[in-house]
């Protein structure tokens, strides 16, 4: 079964309902806006990525039914308290000898209330990254294993 889904229209991509509105929120603890990340930190039902600014690649793909501001705050709290399961701390330990580098958080996809599409989007993004680059764990409870079918000629 193949399902095709329309993408974002050009009108929606370029038209802004309020052209004078700030693109960044004014919260000092916003992981997205303070790190020059891409996307709307207030949007809910998201896929997001965390990028190490020093390594210049994505270290983690995640999804959240909530908004990016809240989820980013959770990641920052885990890093600040040095939780063992903090993905940012894990990358710092593996790639920077424990020194905490600068990170950027981007919104990679908007799915609203469609949780299945959100989880599939996360699984597809994870699968596209070269082995060894991500600190995502395969045993995360909500990670979907997407079957792949290949055909030989």
């Amino acid at each position: 079964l193949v399902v095709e889904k329309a993408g974002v229209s050009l009108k929606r991509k370029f038209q802004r309902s309020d052209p004078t509105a700030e693109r960044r929120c004014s919260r000092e603890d916003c992981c997205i806006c303070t790190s020059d990340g891409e996307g709307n930190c207030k949007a809910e039902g998201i896929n997001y990525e965390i990028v190490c600014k020093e390594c210049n690649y994505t270290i983690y793909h995640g999804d959240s039914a909530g908004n990016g501001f809240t989820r980013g705050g959770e990641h920052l709290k885990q890093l600040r308290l040095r939780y063992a399961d903090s993905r940012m701390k894990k990358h710092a330990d593996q790639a920077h000898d424990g020194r905490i580098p600068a990170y950027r958080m981007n919104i990679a996809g908007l799915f609203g209330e469609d949780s299945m599409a959100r989880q599939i989007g996360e699984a597809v993004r994870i699968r596209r990254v070269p082995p060894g680059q991500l600190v995502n764990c395969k045993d995360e409870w909500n990670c979907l294993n997407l079957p792949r079918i290949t055909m030989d000629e």
Side-chain angles (χ1 to χ4, degrees), residues 12-138:
R12 181 169 178 173
K13 196 163 188 85
F14 294 112
Q15 182 182 25
R16 295 183 61 198
S17 59
D18 185 359
T20 61
E22 290 290 324
R23 289 190 181 256
R24 302 271 177 218
C25 73
S26 58
R27 297 177 285 204
E28 292 179 9
D29 57 343
C30 180
C31 187
I32 298 168
C33 297
T34 59
S35 69
D36 294 326
E38 298 173 5
N40 180 356
C41 65
K42 299 170 196 149
E44 296 184 350
I46 59 166
N47 278 170
Y48 63 93
E49 63 183 7
I50 297 176
V51 177
C52 174
K53 289 184 175 183
E54 290 184 24
C55 297
N56 200 29
Y57 62 74
T58 300
I59 62 155
Y60 184 75
H61 284 285
D63 79 295
S64 176
N67 62 46
F69 170 75
T70 302
R71 188 64 186 110
E74 292 168 354
H75 278 291
L76 289 176
K77 179 181 177 184
Q78 290 175 349
L79 178 63
R80 187 176 63 249
L81 298 176
R82 298 196 171 268
Y83 284 3
D85 61 346
S86 165
R87 303 302 179 219
M88 296 161 99
K89 180 187 177 306
K90 185 175 180 180
H91 173 74
D93 292 343
Q94 290 176 349
H96 301 284
D97 296 323
R99 184 183 51 77
I100 306 297
Y103 293 104
R104 179 178 67 244
M105 182 173 170
N106 299 318
I107 302 298
L110 299 174
F111 298 93
E113 296 181 13
D114 191 344
S115 60
M116 180 177 282
R118 186 180 74 242
Q119 291 179 1
I120 290 172
E122 176 191 20
V124 167
R125 284 182 173 87
I126 289 171
R127 188 165 276 188
R128 287 181 180 163
V129 177
Q133 184 172 315
L134 290 179
V135 292
N136 287 75
C137 294
K138 288 184 179 180

